[in-house]
Amino acid sequence: MVIIYIKINYLDEERRLKLVSEYRKSFNRKLISIFLFILITATSLIGISSYQITKKALAEKGKVVLKNSVVQALALIRSEYNKVQAGSISQAEAQETIKTFLAGPMKADGTRDLHGNIDLSEHGYFIIYDKKGFEVLHPTLEGQNVLDVTDLNDAEHYIVKEQIETALSGGGYTYYAWRLPHSNKIGKKISYVAYSPDWEWIVAATAYELDFVNEATEILYTIGLVTTILIFFTGYIGTKYIKSATKPVLDIASGMKNVTEGRYQSIPAGNYNDETKVLIDGYNTMIESLEKAERKITIKNDRLTYLAYNDELTLLPNRNGMKEYVDQRLSNGCNFGYLAQLDIMGLKLINLTLGYEQGDKVLGLLGKYLRQYKKDNNYPARTGSNEFSIWIEAVEQQRIYPLLKEIREKSQQYVIENGYNQMLDIYLALTMYDGQNKSFETLYEETTTAMRTAREKRDLSITLFEESMKERVENELAMRRHLDKAISEKEIIPYYQAQVDFTTEKVVGVEALARWISSELGFVPPNVFIPYINQLNLITEFTEYMIDKVLSNYQDLVMKYDSDLTISINISPLCFMEKDFTGKVERAINKHHIPPHKLILEITEDVFIADYKEINRIITKLRELFVKVSIDDFGTGYSSLNYLMNIQPDEIKIDKSFVGQILDDEKAFYMFDTLCNIAENFGYSIVAEGVENKKQLEKISTTSLKIIQGYLFSKPEPLITEMPAGKNSGSCS
Ligand code: C2E
Ligand code: CA
Ligand code: CA
């Protein structure tokens, strides 16, 4: 049945239902037919064989009756004969007594009744011949000679002659065909003949086999009747039994049909106590697990549908969900709105340094905070890994900037209040929709373009999309395509900028600064291509390449500048926090045989988004290698002083933006001076970057700072040997 269902599973509904009921019928019909066939064959065989046995037994019994009757007749003849000999009666009287006794009295028409006092069954009668074949006694032929009478089926067979012979030779049975008395029907006859010597008579008791076996025929009829009743009765019971026996199988079959239609119904257990119970239990268990499996699939499907439009982490709609919503608003006649984007800076670093759990926590908190803006047709969503978007309708033009700033500030606060203790930097970008024929995709592309511009400029104000941004972004995209090739084909090379002790005018160190002179794009500045290197996950490869390249230049640099020269290399925070970063540094030092205390690794403040413990662990490891760590761009972040208390760098580099202010801004200079004192007190080296003119130098010389790096002394320049073919040196500082 299972096979049948699997097959019909693919047929159309109507045909399948029809087939099911046909199979159902034919299955029962087959079983019942087999059952009835066996029943009828068995009872027929029993009936026919018992008929045969009975018939044979009755025929034997008949023959004995005939023989006994003849013996009785002979005894009667003897007794009457003796009476005649004794003279008590006449011979005629005696013979008439015998004939009357055996075949009844002579009637007026010269015939006798068939039956006398001895029972030879319905058509049987006595005959007496003399030895010449004259009938001494016969129901109808008395006095006639019948010696030549032949068998009615065999003209060669002389019945009477045979009987006379048999009798005279000691008696026995003879067989022939003869007409039934008072009828034209021919029947098989048996007779027993014996010789009575008294009056020299041949005495025959004859009967029709038919009479003897009549009872057997009755038995046959009875058996027939009983068989018929049996067939009907047992047939009825059997059919009912078969139906009840096949019921569970057929129930399972129809259950399976239900399953194919998505209905899971178990079968009542019933009172079965045999394999049927096992079958039903097994089926019900199967149905249960199928139902469970389907429930699971349904839940999973629902979940997948949910996930297709929503973000699990923040419980906000995702990009798809937002697209559906905004497109619907646009096609419903909305003719004014904004699409704003919030981009969390440094999320990657949080994931890498504090673990994804922390990153997820921050996103979750932001999501929770932004959910409250989902009202009045405004619609927040998480549209990228570190990016949220909000569709805003119900806000006037002059309110949009304050509103976005408020959203940013409040969400930053919310994250801090809820256990994440660093301030997040969040970029804001925006595009305006004023009823032109635009789709969500176009608007989204516009905000993304604005966001790219904001990120590239590290601009934390709100960046509104302008058409002119498109071209720049396209250029950047082209640049992205070339970057891969740039690293693999070594188009990027280090330039070196000297760090000078202005008190002695001696070059004490150089900072390696990457330069990309692309064969297709021309000169690309590092603050354009390095963010892309980070985004494209090429930073590890790039940093390893730069370290190797710079260290391989060490001997030439020493020759060019000074034997005591230190070499500074910029390390992206993502790389600094990477597993086995210190191992890589160690291997590079060993490879190029560099004195490790001449190597300084510059890391920017960005890295302090991570926890101090981890940074200190790496710094300690580097210190064990005698490699130094410098804090780059010092003074541009939020908490410079705070982290100076927590970590111990070897050097701090005051950012050029700071240096740029010391001439015009007394406060800035005061800060600069204070920083120098702090560094001195803590025992850190201090370098001022971006010193461009003598006035700046004069002012700096009033502080404790001695080492400066800037255009005043030199621009970043290549080692002559490292010039890329056909390119001009010094032109791209
Ligand atoms: P940075 O580490 O702050 O590097 C100093 C930047 O100031 C350099 O810009 C340098 O050319 C510039 N500069 C030096 N003196 C003066 C001056 O007197 N006036 C002015 N206006 N600028 C001066 P550059 O080479 O364009 O590099 C920009 C930034 O790119 C670097 O800032 C650094 O953060 C990053 N960078 C450069 N090379 C690498 C590198 O190999 N790896 C990594 N991770 N970052 C690098
Ligand atoms: Ca630097
Ligand atoms: Ca700087």
Side-chain angles (χ1 to χ4, degrees):
M1 295 307 278
V2 175
I3 295 163
I4 292 163
Y5 275 96
I6 290 170
K7 266 196 204 158
I8 63 178
N9 200 13
Y10 301 98
L11 303 176
D12 61 77
E13 184 65 11
E14 207 175 308
R15 240 185 100 203
R16 206 185 69 211
L17 288 177
K18 221 174 128 193
L19 266 183
V20 168
S21 89
E22 269 171 25
Y23 280 122
R24 195 184 178 111
K25 272 185 207 154
S26 78
F27 183 55
N28 266 341
R29 217 181 267 156
K30 267 183 210 157
L31 277 179
I32 291 166
S33 306
I34 292 168
F35 171 72
L36 286 180
F37 174 75
I38 293 170
L39 184 70
I40 292 169
T41 314
T43 43
S44 304
L45 281 175
I46 293 168
I48 290 166
S49 54
S50 53
Y51 165 71
Q52 292 292 354
I53 292 164
T54 316
K55 198 173 133 188
K56 211 175 154 200
L58 286 173
E60 286 306 315
K61 184 189 152 203
K63 278 162 84 180
V64 172
V65 168
L66 286 179
K67 190 176 175 182
N68 287 345
S69 305
V70 169
V71 171
Q72 250 182 295
L74 290 184
L76 176 66
I77 292 167
R78 170 63 44 89
S79 130
E80 290 304 309
Y81 178 78
N82 286 344
K83 283 181 196 166
V84 174
Q85 294 300 317
S88 59
I89 55 168
S90 70
Q91 183 171 319
E93 272 173 339
Q95 290 189 348
E96 192 50 39
T97 303
I98 291 164
K99 290 179 194 173
T100 306
F101 186 84
L102 295 179
M106 173 72 84
K107 292 190 280 193
D109 62 355
T111 65
R112 291 182 192 275
D113 281 345
L114 217 50
H115 306 294
N117 290 351
I118 296 172
D119 181 14
L120 288 177
S121 77
E122 194 186 347
H123 301 99
Y125 50 91
F126 278 100
I127 306 171
I128 300 174
Y129 312 106
D130 67 9
K131 284 194 214 160
K132 289 193 181 103
F134 280 99
E135 300 271 14
V136 176
L137 169 74
H138 191 281
T140 54
L141 303 171
E142 247 175 62
Q144 291 186 30
N145 190 301
V146 289
L147 195 65
D148 294 328
V149 170
T150 57
D151 192 318
L152 289 179
N153 285 341
D154 180 6
E156 306 280 298
H157 179 199
Y158 290 89
I159 304 165
V160 181
K161 276 185 190 163
E162 186 197 11
Q163 286 186 338
I164 293 170
E165 270 168 32
T166 309
L168 289 177
S169 53
Y173 294 98
T174 66
Y175 304 89
Y176 55 96
W178 196 251
R179 215 167 274 119
L180 265 73
H182 315 296
S183 159
N184 284 331
K185 264 194 188 162
I186 293 170
K188 264 174 92 182
K189 279 193 88 167
I190 309 171
S191 63
Y192 187 83
V193 285
Y195 179 63
S196 166
D198 302 325
W199 284 299
E200 296 187 332
W201 284 349
I202 312 293
V203 180
T206 72
Y208 291 85
E209 200 182 49
L210 189 86
D211 288 342
F212 298 145
V213 299
N214 245 352
E215 276 176 53
T217 315
E218 269 168 34
I219 285 176
L220 189 66
Y221 287 145
T222 313
I223 286 173
L225 186 68
V226 169
T227 306
T228 314
I229 291 170
L230 200 68
I231 285 170
F232 276 108
F233 187 65
T234 50
Y236 175 71
I237 302 263
T239 307
K240 278 203 117 175
Y241 174 76
I242 285 172
K243 276 189 179 164
S244 82
T246 57
K247 189 178 180 297
V249 175
L250 295 172
D251 280 353
I252 286 174
S254 79
M256 283 174 163
K257 188 198 87 189
N258 286 337
V259 170
T260 61
E261 290 159 359
R263 291 194 304 270
Y264 298 96
Q265 280 161 5
S266 50
I267 294 173
N271 290 329
Y272 302 102
N273 215 357
D274 49 13
E275 290 88 341
T276 313
K277 186 175 164 17
V278 180
L279 184 69
I280 292 179
D281 285 352
Y283 176 80
N284 285 341
T285 313
M286 183 189 82
I287 286 293
E288 241 172 63
S289 25
L290 274 179
E291 208 179 353
K292 259 189 217 158
E294 172 149 328
R295 241 182 284 132
K296 263 191 199 161
I297 289 173
T298 316
I299 290 170
K300 256 192 196 155
N301 273 350
D302 290 351
R303 212 175 134 59
L304 285 179
T305 316
Y306 173 81
L307 288 180
Y309 293 96
N310 293 281
D311 172 53
E312 215 186 358
L313 181 65
T314 58
L315 306 180
L316 281 173
N318 60 16
R319 194 175 180 285
N320 271 343
M322 182 169 226
K323 177 179 155 55
E324 282 241 316
Y325 180 82
V326 175
D327 276 339
Q328 205 182 344
R329 291 297 304 152
L330 299 183
S331 61
N332 279 356
C334 160
N335 55 17
F336 195 81
Y338 300 96
L339 185 63
Q341 216 175 79
L342 289 85
D343 195 296
I344 306 147
M345 187 199 214
L347 186 76
K348 231 185 200 174
L349 202 65
I350 296 176
N351 283 336
L352 196 75
T353 56
L354 302 182
Y356 280 86
E357 226 171 80
Q358 269 297 332
D360 285 357
K361 189 180 164 190
V362 167
L363 286 169
L365 286 169
L366 285 171
K368 197 169 171 195
Y369 181 77
L370 291 175
R371 281 209 300 278
Q372 63 179 293
Y373 290 95
K374 197 174 172 185
K375 59 183 181 200
D376 306 332
N377 291 335
N378 297 342
Y379 200 80
R382 182 181 174 203
T383 43
S385 61
N386 59 341
E387 168 197 304
F388 293 86
S389 298
I390 314 183
W391 170 252
I392 300 169
E393 276 184 36
V395 171
E396 289 162 26
Q397 219 160 329
Q398 67 270 27
R399 273 282 304 141
I400 186 71
Y401 275 61
L403 174 70
L404 287 177
K405 278 186 183 148
E406 182 191 305
I407 291 177
R408 172 162 63 190
E409 268 163 36
K410 286 195 172 163
S411 54
Q412 283 167 329
Q413 259 171 33
Y414 184 79
V415 170
I416 287 178
E417 280 161 16
N418 285 281
Y420 182 75
N421 56 8
Q422 302 279 328
M423 184 72 156
L424 292 172
D425 276 337
I426 298 176
Y427 290 114
L428 274 171
L430 178 71
T431 194
M432 201 171 80
Y433 172 72
D434 54 7
Q436 311 107 314
N437 188 19
K438 280 184 183 170
S439 66
F440 167 76
E441 286 300 344
T442 319
L443 294 171
Y444 182 77
E445 226 169 79
E446 288 177 4
T447 36
T448 307
T449 303
M451 181 57 80
R452 274 214 190 96
T453 312
R455 251 191 270 132
E456 190 195 304
K457 290 186 178 165
R458 290 196 160 218
D459 180 358
L460 282 168
S461 61
I462 299 172
T463 308
L464 179 68
F465 169 76
E466 287 160 23
E467 282 296 327
S468 62
M469 289 174 179
K470 270 188 180 167
E471 196 187 340
R472 262 191 33 227
V473 169
E474 271 158 27
N475 289 342
E476 282 160 21
L477 287 180
M479 196 223 19
R480 266 167 177 249
R481 281 196 299 276
H482 297 299
L483 253 181
D484 223 351
K485 187 176 151 228
I487 297 176
S488 62
E489 295 184 4
K490 301 188 169 53
E491 277 185 353
I492 299 175
I493 55 158
Y495 272 38
Y496 297 94
Q497 187 177 28
Q499 295 171 342
V500 181
D501 181 339
F502 65 84
T503 57
T504 58
E505 297 209 352
K506 204 175 126 187
V507 176
V508 293
V510 285
E511 178 182 3
L513 292 159
R515 291 290 175 268
W516 178 23
I517 301 122
S518 161
S519 52
E520 278 132 311
L521 304 174
F523 175 72
V524 188
N527 43 12
V528 171
F529 73 79
I530 284 172
Y532 286 107
I533 285 187
N534 274 311
Q535 273 176 40
L536 293 171
N537 287 329
L538 295 168
I539 190 70
T540 306
E541 217 180 322
F542 168 72
T543 307
E544 277 176 32
Y545 163 76
M546 278 299 282
I547 292 175
D548 186 70
K549 197 81 191 157
V550 172
L551 296 194
S552 74
N553 284 341
Y554 178 72
Q555 296 304 338
D556 295 331
L557 288 167
V558 165
M559 294 242 292
K560 180 172 173 183
Y561 295 102
D562 188 89
S563 58
D564 252 0
L565 194 77
T566 59
I567 297 185
S568 295
I569 303 178
N570 290 288
I571 304 293
S572 160
L574 279 175
C575 259
F576 188 75
M577 303 305 293
E578 223 173 47
K579 225 177 133 201
D580 197 36
F581 170 69
T582 51
K584 282 175 187 164
V585 173
E586 187 176 11
R587 285 191 288 278
I589 290 170
N590 294 339
K591 179 179 168 192
H592 296 286
H593 310 290
I594 309 298
H597 59 282
K598 297 291 177 200
L599 181 60
I600 300 173
L601 302 179
E602 294 187 6
I603 47 167
T604 54
E605 277 187 339
D606 288 4
V607 86
F608 296 102
I609 210 158
D611 67 356
Y612 298 126
K613 263 193 209 155
E614 184 58 15
I615 299 167
N616 272 330
R617 197 185 61 77
I618 301 170
I619 293 178
T620 309
K621 260 186 151 182
L622 290 169
R623 199 160 283 148
E624 280 164 13
L625 297 174
F626 303 105
V627 173
K628 289 178 177 147
V629 175
S630 169
I631 297 176
D632 205 358
D633 295 351
F634 196 83
T636 54
Y638 301 96
S639 46
S640 308
L641 285 175
N642 179 32
Y643 61 68
L644 260 194
M645 312 235 299
N646 289 292
I647 67 154
Q648 286 81 45
D650 297 282
E651 176 189 276
I652 53 178
K653 285 184 82 173
I654 301 181
D655 191 62
K656 62 175 179 282
S657 62
F658 217 137
V659 172
Q661 294 175 60
I662 55 171
L663 289 181
D664 312 321
D665 187 340
E666 267 307 308
K667 262 191 196 161
F669 177 70
Y670 178 72
M671 283 278 285
F672 182 94
D673 190 31
T674 311
L675 274 179
C676 294
N677 291 335
I678 291 173
E680 201 180 24
N681 290 339
F682 278 114
Y684 308 146
S685 308
I686 184 158
V687 179
E689 161 187 279
V691 181
E692 290 180 343
N693 53 53
K694 282 205 167 128
K695 278 194 175 162
Q696 284 171 340
L697 180 60
E698 273 167 26
K699 193 108 192 185
I700 289 171
S701 61
T702 64
T703 71
S704 57
L705 190 139
K706 303 220 156 25
I707 300 166
I708 56 165
Q709 177 184 340
Y711 294 170
L712 177 64
F713 280 102
S714 93
K715 285 193 166 182
E717 54 188 37
L719 264 177
I720 303 301
T721 48
E722 283 299 326
M723 276 296 291
K727 299 286 178 332
N728 225 340
S729 78
S731 62
C732 42
S733 57

